[in-house]
Amino acid sequence: MCLFFYFRDRKEWADLEPVPQDDGPNPVVKIAYSEKFTDVFDMFRALLKNDEKSERAFALTAEAIDLNAANYTVWHYRRVLLQALDKDLREEMNYVTAIIEDQPKNYQVWHHRRMVVEWLNDPSEELQFVAEILSQDAKNYHAWQHRQWVMQEYKLWDGELEYVEELLEEDVRNNSAWNQRHFVINHTSGYSDSSILDREVQYTLKQIKKAPHNESAWNYLNGILQDGGLSSYPGLLEQVTELQDTCSSPYLTAFLVDLYEDALETNSSSYDQQEMLSKALELCKFLAEEKDTIRREYWNYLSRSLQNTYGSAYMIEPSDFACKHSISVCFDIKTGEKPDHSKTCFILFFKAFSLLYI
Amino acid sequence: MRTRAAKTCHVARPVSQFSTAYSLGSNECVRLQFFSLLSESDNGNLILQGTQVKDVVIKPDAPYTLLLDKHADYIAAYGSKKDDYEYTLSEYLRMSGIYWGLTVMDLMGQLSRMNRQEIIEFTKSCQHDCGGISASIGHDPHLLYTLSAVQTLSLYDSINVIDVDKVVDYVKGLQQEDGSFAGDKWGEIDTRFSFCAVATLALLGQLDVINMDKAVEFVLSCMNFDGGFGCKPGSESHAGQIYCCTGFLSITGQLHQVNADLLGWWLCERQLPSGGLNGRPEKLPDVCYSWWVLASLKIIGRIHWIDKAKLRNFILACQDEETGGFADRPGDMVDPFHTLFGVAGLSLLGDEQIKPVNPVFCMPEDVLQRIGLQPDLLS
């Protein structure tokens, strides 16, 4: 490594007092970059105007992309040149890979990659590549889109469920992974086979036991049971009620409300209708007044809706509702994601426990 | 230690809060909030546990009043220094930038401070031979910027400076066989573009030129198991996409196809303890999601499911008292995009200092009234 010997520190320059430039913070850097920017884009505009299709034009698109990868016109032009000059598309894939690794949330570059894959008609590197990007940010919306497109277009379903399970092992709250699970099963076995459905229900309940405060898992459970009906699935009420003893979350409570509602809607003979209604109303009140007050309007709406639809003017008192809930939580030291705008924050999570003093 | 009071304590009450975070380069720390829960197991022992919630904490000195004058000054001055680096860098979206600036100024009753003639000329010069409109001069046409241009000219009641028939042809030409819309000739498909297409055509009074049934079929095929919508069939539900799809269904008169209770629940679940809204589960709140989520809720008639006071609090905290404008979250840098959606969100929440905003088009209601557009909303 070469250390620059600042002029201000050099004996031969000691007689001079450095005069700072007066253009605001980091003026030299900003101006130099701005000048380069203007220079490159002025040249780009000139090439466009003349519709020049040359190697130097192609090289310039790379300079322009380097300065502003969101400029979709530059990417368009690059594609035109790729075809007009019959450029090596494998090399282009390497180039695109580097840009995505640097700027993984840029629409244009992902779309460009898709075009190149289509032209090459070769998806062989794609799943591996997307997995690498997802290992840096497991919820990158562009990455998931690309992955879904590749899988559907080229019928690459093998091993995806295992991949999703790996991701959920790392972060059971990864909503994108839960969505992907649904996507894969939908396009392969489907959910109508009862052995598949059972497998999914048990898998989801298992994940819920690990982390009950997990909207994605509960949404998934709800989603896959919509067709059959929550209250029709054998033993589900018992399993979820049992969960209530060892873990607690507003999602669990909400799920129970949905289940009771389904029992009422289907007028299921397996359940005491009055009991379903009274329990549902009790939970709605509990959620509105204590457990999920920020959404009290929703819970009150649901409560009124149930009362109006299934009769009964009585209100349930929660006095007999046993407060026997606990959540066990495990959280590890984990490097948090960069917020979407990648501006400023970087979060480090620390292993900690709250202490309660009464 | 265990008292009678403790035994009857309600489960989810946060009795103490221990939060820790480490942030680099931000004025506002993003914190992990730990809510500790008092609970009692069957054998009577106290159990101390917590659960994590990804959210921000609003500092006590964050802004809490609406600084409309400052925002108007910020937008009026934005772009006046044409060689400003950030401004130059965003040239590829200039047409949308203009729409954001004009709309928020109009909502604040300050449209007259913008350079009407210059903007109209600029917009006109961005229309290409194919009829489509680009983000700026020398850029290629795209549906996103075509919509922004039509919105801008509608605001100024000057739609006829462009060739309207050609715009209609351009939009029509982007519809695919499956009913979806490409963004431009390169074929990227996204429900955002379905929205852009019908919104553009609605503003021009020419919705009937496209295959409406197919267009609706495609958007509905993007509805997910959680009631939300993604960018393509199978894509994860995302508040931005949900706004586009509910807006689309409103314009096309198909809101009855939405499961309003299910979607409304998913949307109100976006509200975090700080009051802000995120775009999908386990993500941080952002002022722009306060628009995408709130407008969607308004369209499906469930805006009252949000805690309005808490959301207003969050949005106000995203203001910058020195520069004016809104940032994505408290303490970050402001920009015109978040400024529009912050102000528009406040309008939807009923702030009387701001003009009413239409939740489908994100334009002042009085402009749409003038055009004669009244898209359906569920009640």
Side-chain angles (χ1 to χ4, degrees), chain B residues 316-329:
Chain B
L316 292 176
C318 294
Q319 297 173 107
D320 187 317
E321 283 169 319
E322 284 170 29
T323 60
F326 289 72
D328 58 350
R329 52 189 76 95

Side-chain angles (χ1 to χ4, degrees), chain A residues 4-48:
Chain A
F4 186 77
F5 193 176
Y6 291 118
F7 284 102
R8 65 172 184 260
D9 297 328
R10 297 187 204 191
K11 264 205 304 220
E12 319 81 77
W13 294 80
D15 61 311
L16 284 172
E17 184 74 25
V19 177
Q21 199 157 6
D22 190 20
D23 275 344
N26 298 320
V28 174
V29 170
K30 183 175 174 176
I31 285 171
Y33 207 51
S34 298
E35 274 189 26
K36 182 177 177 187
F37 190 94
T38 310
D39 182 49
V40 167
F41 277 94
D42 281 353
M43 203 60 72
F44 176 69
R45 280 183 273 274
L47 291 168
L48 269 186

Side-chain angles (χ1 to χ4, degrees), chain B residues 76-82 87 94-95 98 102 112-126 137 152-153 156 158 161:
Chain B
Y78 190 87
S80 58
K81 278 188 270 175
K82 300 254 182 298
Y87 186 78
R94 183 67 59 238
M95 196 59 71
I98 288 172
L102 285 187
S112 54
R113 288 171 73 175
M114 305 301 276
N115 193 329
R116 180 196 162 107
Q117 214 35 54
E118 188 182 300
I119 288 168
I120 291 175
E121 281 306 314
F122 172 79
T123 306
K124 187 174 166 181
S125 63
C126 287
I137 296 162
T152 293
L153 294 174
Y156 276 143
S158 300
V161 305

Side-chain angles (χ1 to χ4, degrees), chain A residues 90-141:
Chain A
R90 301 260 167 221
E91 261 182 47
E92 187 66 5
M93 278 302 273
N94 292 339
Y95 173 73
V96 168
T97 296
I99 307 277
I100 292 178
E101 276 166 0
D102 189 45
Q103 300 178 61
K105 293 197 179 179
N106 172 308
Y107 278 103
Q108 287 71 34
V109 62
W110 280 102
H111 184 65
H112 189 80
R113 187 183 181 97
R114 174 172 156 163
M115 301 251 33
V116 177
V117 169
E118 278 181 344
W119 288 343
L120 280 170
N121 198 30
D122 178 10
S124 58
E125 290 174 14
E126 296 315 288
L127 296 184
Q128 169 74 8
F129 172 71
V130 174
E132 263 166 47
I133 298 296
L134 289 174
S135 70
Q136 292 157 40
D137 173 5
K139 301 178 192 180
N140 183 324
Y141 201 73

Side-chain angles (χ1 to χ4, degrees), chain A residues 114, chain B residues 143 171-183 187-195 197-198 210-222 231-233 248:
Chain A
R114 174 172 156 163
Chain B
L143 202 40
V171 173
K172 183 177 170 178
L174 289 170
Q175 185 168 27
Q176 309 296 300
E177 266 181 47
D178 64 357
S180 66
F181 282 85
E188 185 190 357
I189 303 296
D190 191 320
T191 46
R192 286 182 296 148
F193 306 142
S194 298
F195 172 77
V198 299
I210 55 167
N211 185 333
M212 191 62 76
D213 289 343
K214 272 289 189 188
V216 170
E217 193 185 302
F218 176 76
V219 168
L220 291 178
S221 75
C222 298
C231 65
K232 291 195 248 298
F248 172 96

